[in-house]
Amino acid sequence: CYNNKSKKDYYNGGNMYYTLLILQCLGILFMFYELIHISRQRPSKFQTLLLLLVGAILINTYGYTLEITATGKELALQAVRISYLAKPFILYLMYIFVMKYCGFSIPKVGKRILFSIAAFISVLVFTSDYNTLFYSHISFSYSGLFPHLILTHGPVYKLYTAFLGFYFVSMFFACTRFSLQHKSHLIRKQVFFLILMITMCILGLLAFLFRLTGGYDFPQPPYLLSYQ
């Protein structure tokens, strides 16, 4: 049903909401800057992967920003769908980048399978009105930090979340092995930041799964911090 009250009418979270909104907007500006900066570097496969990764983070951040400013279920759900144009591909691209940097070759068939899984998740979210595989129930609440969707997770969501462990374990193994094979201080420093990037993503996911965020899906800060 339609509700003509503004977000401000329902907002009861003090300055935290506006702080989050400002961080999201700063994140979008930062990602635009990084896209321009990376595009000016010498063309390479690493450059292409970084461009795709930053682009995916940008779309995801933009979608989430739209979601937290939405005042109704339909607007919020459309924002989630925009976010999921890129969200499933972030860890996929991060995985490809880390494995390539650490000297691991991924078979084409493996890349295609992983890409297909990410694309499948996006399709499920876009067709959430017609299936309950990813979100078994979707409702909207005007209480809490800000008006937000209440998403009940379906079986595919749970399986996909467990599958993300494959990405994390593989990247940790690749980084650890690569670091042990090289004594260069520069390489070990770069690998350390890769491990930090992975760790930030894991902590962000765990914070959400264990409801340390109060049930709000706050994936962007870990992504932004990890990329920096």
Side-chain angles (χ1 to χ4, degrees):
C1 61
Y2 175 76
N3 192 308
N4 59 5
K5 290 186 179 182
S6 66
K7 181 174 285 291
K8 185 176 180 180
D9 294 327
Y10 293 98
Y11 169 67
N12 60 3
N15 293 324
M16 184 135 184
Y17 168 77
Y18 295 105
T19 300
L20 175 62
L21 185 59
I22 290 171
L23 286 175
Q24 292 296 123
C25 293
L26 289 176
I28 291 173
L29 292 175
F30 176 76
M31 288 297 114
F32 268 118
Y33 168 79
E34 285 300 320
L35 281 175
I36 295 172
H37 175 71
I38 295 172
S39 64
R40 291 179 176 178
Q41 305 302 312
R42 183 169 57 88
S44 67
K45 290 184 178 180
F46 283 113
Q47 182 208 41
T48 302
L49 283 172
L50 276 177
L51 283 172
L52 291 172
L53 178 57
V54 175
I57 295 174
L58 173 60
I59 294 172
N60 186 40
T61 305
Y62 175 69
Y64 188 71
T65 304
L66 291 179
E67 181 184 352
I68 66 176
T69 57
T71 56
K73 178 180 176 181
E74 289 305 316
L75 287 175
L77 190 54
Q78 289 301 319
V80 169
R81 287 167 178 160
I82 291 175
S83 179
Y84 267 84
L85 278 172
K87 189 173 183 177
F89 297 95
I90 293 176
L91 275 180
Y92 165 75
L93 291 167
M94 194 180 294
Y95 170 78
I96 299 297
F97 178 84
V98 170
M99 299 304 281
K100 184 174 179 59
Y101 177 84
C102 294
F104 285 79
S105 178
I106 305 174
K108 288 185 178 181
V109 63
K111 292 180 182 178
R112 290 171 182 170
I113 291 174
L114 295 177
F115 180 88
S116 297
I117 292 174
F120 178 62
I121 297 301
S122 292
V123 170
L124 287 183
V125 173
F126 265 82
T127 59
S128 56
D129 290 336
Y130 308 100
N131 76 82
T132 57
L133 295 175
F134 201 73
Y135 294 131
S136 59
H137 181 71
I138 302 173
S139 59
F140 193 78
S141 173
Y142 288 99
S143 62
L145 180 61
F146 54 82
H148 60 284
L149 289 171
I150 299 176
L151 303 169
T152 303
H153 302 144
V156 174
Y157 182 98
K158 296 172 183 177
L159 287 173
Y160 179 67
T161 301
F163 169 74
L164 295 181
F166 162 77
Y167 281 132
F168 295 133
V169 171
S170 299
M171 289 190 288
F172 263 118
F173 173 78
C175 288
T176 302
R177 181 178 175 182
F178 188 68
S179 180
L180 293 175
Q181 290 176 339
H182 295 82
K183 296 182 179 180
S184 168
H185 176 72
L186 176 61
I187 289 180
R188 290 194 171 185
K189 181 180 178 181
Q190 291 173 335
V191 172
F192 169 77
F193 281 112
L194 287 178
I195 292 176
L196 181 62
M197 171 183 73
I198 299 164
T199 303
M200 291 298 295
C201 291
I202 294 174
L203 292 177
L205 177 62
L206 290 178
F208 172 68
L209 293 178
F210 286 96
R211 298 189 176 277
L212 299 180
T213 61
Y216 298 102
D217 186 1
F218 291 156
Q220 282 65 38
Y223 286 142
L224 296 179
L225 287 172
S226 68
Y227 182 72
Q228 293 181 56

